[in-house]
Amino acid sequence: MNMHTQPTTAAAAPAPGKPLWQAALVQAFVKLDPRQLVRSPIMFVVELTAVFTTVLCFLPQAGVSTAVAVQITLWLWFTVLFANFAEALAEGRGKARADSLKGVGQDLMARRQTADGLFEMVPAVGLRKGDVVRVEAGELIPGDGEVVQGIAAVNEAAITGESAPVIRESGGDRSAVTGNTQIVSDWLLVRITTNPGESTLDRMIALVEGAKRQKTPNEVALDILLIGLTLIFLLVVATLQPFARYAGGDLPMLYLAALLVTLIPTTIGGLLSAIGIAGMDRLVRLNVIAKSGRAVEAAGDVHTLLLDKTGTITFGNRRCSAMYAASGITAKQLAEGALLASLVDDTPEGKSIVEYLRALHPMNEPARDAVTPITFSAETRLSGIDWDGHVYRKGAVDAVLRFLGMTRSHLPDVLAREIDRIAKDGGTPLLVCADGQLLGAIHLKDVVKPGIRERFAELRKLGIRTVMVTGDNPLTAAAIAAEAGVDDVIAEATPEKKLARIREEQADGKLVAMCGDGANDAPALAQADVGMAMNDGTQAAREAANLVDLDSDPTKLLDVVQVGKELLVTRGALTTFSIANDVAKYFAILPALFASIYPQLGALNVMGLHSPQSAILSAIVFNALIIVVLIPLALRGVRIQAANASQLLRRNLLIYGLGGLLVPFVGIKLIDMVLTAVGLA
């Protein structure tokens, strides 16, 4: 029976079909359905106004030509369509990926263990939390789960896009497996930990589709503000007609409807959903699953970042960084001895020594099958080879000295000082010997990742403090922290210490983010405002966190913070621009409306617009077109520079506040000139 389907990579290209903009254009008309549009209160009001003006086109109105009425109505409909198009375009970028993900494992069958220990074939969609399944080489894992027995190589390309297989085994922090990933070798017994519709793949599909995307608290608050402004302007517009009639004049209902639409913040109302969806899409492209939009939004307001040293700040595996020869030994003799002693050492440390020395002192190496390997053991704490009558060893200082029949007092003073310095700097010293002679020392160092210091400096400019969390002793931790450029360090960290630090920061009113993968990280991940778990970590960590990184890259937390800040800054910038827009539109329409009733208001026609009709029509056209112009910015996001909150605020007020005031004056005037030239107003 066919047990699996071909996995689809997370980076799969959209299926051939309509171009994205064409599909979004179709969806823009579909979204005219009031049941869908009611989720965007501003655009719902614009649509109701467009319906109202459509009716007015068929009714005679004093002072308004049918041509102008039709043009205003059409541009109101265009305003709604452009806003729908922006949202559909943002959704469309993820739906192509969602469609490809939906095809993964549709007909997948699973080998479920029965109560008597036997196995039965069942559809994977019928599996429930707690079921145990056996998966063998070449088969897809039918659901998210924990390995309870066995060890196997797993290809996770279907989810992460990473082609290199990873090892999964029972026990420890590498027992979690993801549904629809493929066993490459051996077999696993997996306990399913999610019910249908709750798996990582299901969350990913829901996230990229946006179908289940709940509005974040910030969006809800902004919606309330926009609704409040809409109600205020609705009351303002409703009172204009009584004032006009009191003065002996009359205002056409069509113009009042146009005034309402131009005064309410339609720009941000039309782009708000697109901004949120695009922000989540950027997160998906980072291969991070958000359990809630609140986590992404909180990431943008984070004050403190707790980062594990191993794998985040440092590479995690100690690497050879320097060598020190004993008295009377040349650098070449030490290099050859260390290279031969490490030749068959397949540990990351051994490989780093070989890599370091091959580049530094190339030599003719013996074939691996020509030497007798001496593997490392906890008893000897030595490794090396016997070759051609020669004995080469490397290992811990005390172990090599014992092998040579020496004590620490026999060490040359220069070498002894270097060994002590290595230890104080947080490194690990190894000694190398050949044929009973001490050759020198190797400096193994937990290497700080290149560029990490610069990234921490950027975060500092954004007002974010970084705290390194490590199990190292305070001396070693301080040395690495100084090299990495973090602001603070928690040495000899325990789950209780992490939790206490997070609560201490939160008590001061700060938002805290951290990442982890072990069961001992779960309490801190649950307490943190932004907790990111590694996909290859324990189930406890994944359940406690509100973000899951499918690539299991702890440094991704820095990118998540960047996405969160971009999301908040984009929303704030476009809100500022939208509200500032209304000032210019006020100067365009209000003098035009009351010119015949209050001639003194003509002084407010600072743009010198051709006529009341052209002023109103120009403002309506600008109101619609500005949404189209800002769609790329809403989808791409406002790029933020390293600066603190007050600097970002000043920058946005200058660019988007002042720009929001000036651009409409220029835009409306140009549109007025075009409409007048072609005789449309």
Side-chain angles (χ1 to χ4, degrees):
M1 181 178 293
N2 182 25
M3 286 285 298
H4 65 276
T5 59
Q6 186 68 26
T8 305
T9 65
K18 290 182 179 179
L20 188 58
W21 69 269
Q22 287 187 14
L25 192 59
V26 173
Q27 282 299 309
F29 284 92
V30 173
K31 288 176 178 289
L32 288 175
D33 184 343
R35 291 170 298 181
Q36 292 194 43
L37 207 59
V38 74
R39 294 176 302 171
S40 177
I42 299 292
M43 286 302 109
F44 184 64
V45 169
V46 177
E47 184 178 47
L48 290 179
T49 307
V51 171
F52 177 65
T53 58
T54 302
V55 173
L56 291 180
C57 286
F58 297 97
L59 300 176
Q61 296 181 78
V64 181
S65 68
T66 304
V68 171
V70 170
Q71 288 181 71
I72 290 176
T73 300
L74 287 175
W75 280 107
L76 288 179
W77 282 113
F78 285 150
T79 303
V80 183
L81 285 171
F82 292 156
N84 290 349
F85 178 75
E87 183 177 2
L89 202 60
E91 290 175 348
R93 296 198 299 183
K95 283 189 175 180
R97 187 178 182 190
D99 291 340
S100 67
L101 290 171
K102 285 178 180 178
V104 178
Q106 286 292 312
D107 303 318
L108 184 61
M109 299 295 290
R111 193 183 290 106
R112 182 173 62 186
Q113 191 176 47
T114 60
D116 56 8
L118 300 176
F119 292 92
E120 61 179 352
M121 302 304 299
V122 298
V125 294
L127 294 174
R128 294 293 183 272
K129 190 174 181 178
D131 287 345
V132 176
V133 297
R134 181 183 172 93
V135 193
E136 298 181 351
E139 297 175 356
L140 291 181
I141 297 171
D144 292 358
E146 288 274 347
V147 177
V148 295
Q149 189 177 340
I151 179 171
V154 180
N155 179 2
E156 297 186 336
I159 301 297
T160 67
E162 176 58 53
S163 58
V166 293
I167 301 300
R168 294 288 176 261
E169 59 185 323
S170 58
D173 289 350
R174 297 296 179 265
S175 60
V177 291
T178 306
N180 295 284
T181 56
Q182 189 177 39
I183 299 283
V184 176
S185 68
D186 304 293
W187 59 272
L188 293 175
L189 210 59
V190 178
R191 179 182 293 113
I192 301 299
T193 54
T194 59
N195 289 319
E198 301 172 356
S199 70
T200 298
L201 188 66
D202 293 319
R203 284 191 196 134
M204 200 169 189
I205 292 170
L207 192 64
V208 296
E209 282 187 320
K212 296 182 180 179
R213 191 185 78 87
Q214 299 296 315
K215 288 188 176 182
T216 64
N218 188 282
E219 280 182 279
V220 172
L222 188 54
D223 265 343
I224 293 172
L225 171 64
L226 298 182
I227 292 170
L229 289 174
T230 301
L231 291 174
I232 290 170
F233 285 123
L234 183 62
L235 290 173
V236 168
V237 171
T239 58
L240 291 179
Q241 185 68 286
F243 276 113
R245 289 185 176 174
Y246 178 78
D250 188 67
L251 298 176
M253 293 300 293
L254 186 74
Y255 289 177
L256 291 174
L259 177 64
L260 173 64
V261 170
T262 53
L263 289 185
I264 62 177
T266 50
T267 306
I268 186 60
L271 296 173
L272 186 59
S273 293
I275 294 169
I277 294 169
M280 299 299 278
D281 181 61
R282 288 197 292 277
L283 200 68
V284 171
R285 279 185 272 139
L286 287 174
N287 258 0
V288 175
I289 295 296
K291 296 183 181 179
S292 71
R294 182 188 295 267
V296 187
E297 188 172 285
D301 280 330
V302 160
H303 299 91
T304 306
L305 213 55
L306 267 64
L307 298 162
D308 267 336
K309 180 203 75 172
T310 305
T312 306
I313 295 172
T314 66
F315 283 102
N317 298 316
R318 295 170 300 170
R319 296 186 172 195
C320 178
S321 63
M323 308 195 75
Y324 306 96
S327 302
I329 302 297
T330 65
K332 184 177 181 181
Q333 287 175 303
L334 173 58
E336 290 180 352
L339 178 59
L340 291 169
S342 308
L343 201 58
V344 295
D345 185 352
D346 290 327
T347 64
E349 291 85 356
K351 290 179 179 178
S352 78
I353 294 171
V354 172
E355 179 185 345
Y356 179 83
L357 292 173
R358 277 176 176 167
L360 200 63
H361 292 283
M363 63 172 286
N364 293 324
E365 302 171 19
R368 289 179 68 110
D369 56 3
V371 303
T372 302
I374 306 300
T375 57
F376 177 87
S377 70
E379 291 77 21
T380 64
R381 296 195 295 157
L382 291 171
S383 64
I385 63 169
D386 292 341
W387 171 58
D388 197 22
H390 298 286
V391 175
Y392 299 93
R393 297 288 187 273
K394 76 171 191 308
V397 174
D398 293 342
V400 171
L401 290 175
R402 187 168 53 250
F403 179 76
L404 295 173
M406 300 168 60
T407 64
R408 290 186 73 94
S409 61
H410 292 98
L411 281 173
D413 290 341
V414 174
L415 194 58
R417 283 196 298 271
E418 289 295 347
I419 289 172
D420 290 340
R421 187 182 61 81
I422 291 170
K424 287 179 181 177
D425 289 344
T428 303
L430 298 181
L431 288 183
V432 182
C433 66
D435 298 329
Q437 183 181 17
L438 181 63
L439 299 181
I442 299 172
H443 184 178
L444 288 183
K445 182 181 179 184
D446 199 356
V447 180
V448 172
K449 292 183 176 180
I452 199 78
R453 187 181 184 90
E454 289 72 21
R455 295 200 72 176
F456 289 154
E458 289 179 10
L459 290 173
R460 195 174 297 112
K461 289 179 181 177
L462 290 171
I464 299 172
R465 296 181 69 254
T466 50
V467 180
M468 185 182 80
V469 181
T470 176
D472 291 337
N473 63 68
L475 192 63
T476 301
I480 296 174
E483 184 178 354
V486 295
D487 298 307
D488 201 356
V489 61
I490 303 175
E492 297 176 341
T494 62
E496 292 77 16
K497 274 190 177 182
K498 296 177 191 176
L499 195 59
R501 180 55 179 267
I502 291 173
R503 287 174 174 168
E504 180 185 325
E505 295 281 345
Q506 291 173 332
D508 291 336
K510 299 174 181 176
L511 295 186
V512 182
M514 80 158 286
C515 62
D517 57 4
N520 63 343
D521 291 323
L525 287 170
Q527 180 68 35
D529 301 284
V530 180
M532 189 173 79
M534 303 298 99
N535 191 49
D536 63 1
T538 59
Q539 187 66 24
R542 295 202 295 183
E543 289 179 355
N546 46 27
L547 296 172
V548 178
D549 177 26
L550 300 179
D551 294 329
S552 299
D553 176 9
T555 60
K556 196 77 69 65
L557 188 56
L558 304 177
D559 297 316
V560 171
V561 169
Q562 190 80 3
V563 168
K565 281 204 171 292
E566 285 181 0
L567 182 62
L568 291 177
V569 169
T570 302
R571 195 182 294 147
L574 292 185
T575 300
T576 303
F577 186 89
S578 178
I579 294 175
N581 261 224
D582 295 338
V583 176
K585 289 180 281 190
Y586 172 89
F587 277 97
I589 290 187
L590 213 60
L593 277 176
F594 286 92
S596 59
I597 303 173
Y598 298 106
Q600 300 89 340
L601 288 178
L604 293 178
N605 185 14
V606 293
M607 287 179 271
L609 300 179
H610 180 263
S611 66
Q613 291 85 357
S614 72
I616 292 169
L617 188 54
S618 298
I620 286 290
V621 172
F622 176 85
N623 201 54
L625 293 181
I626 196 63
I627 294 177
V628 180
V629 173
L630 292 176
I631 286 176
L633 182 62
L635 298 183
R636 188 185 71 247
V638 175
R639 296 290 179 260
I640 59 172
Q641 299 174 344
N644 58 36
S646 60
Q647 290 173 325
L648 285 174
L649 178 61
R650 284 197 299 271
R651 176 176 175 270
N652 284 344
L653 285 176
L654 180 64
I655 295 175
Y656 298 98
L658 187 59
L661 283 172
L662 298 179
V663 169
F665 280 96
V666 177
I668 291 173
K669 178 59 180 178
L670 289 175
I671 293 171
D672 176 73
M673 292 169 64
V674 171
L675 293 177
T676 303
V678 297
L680 292 177

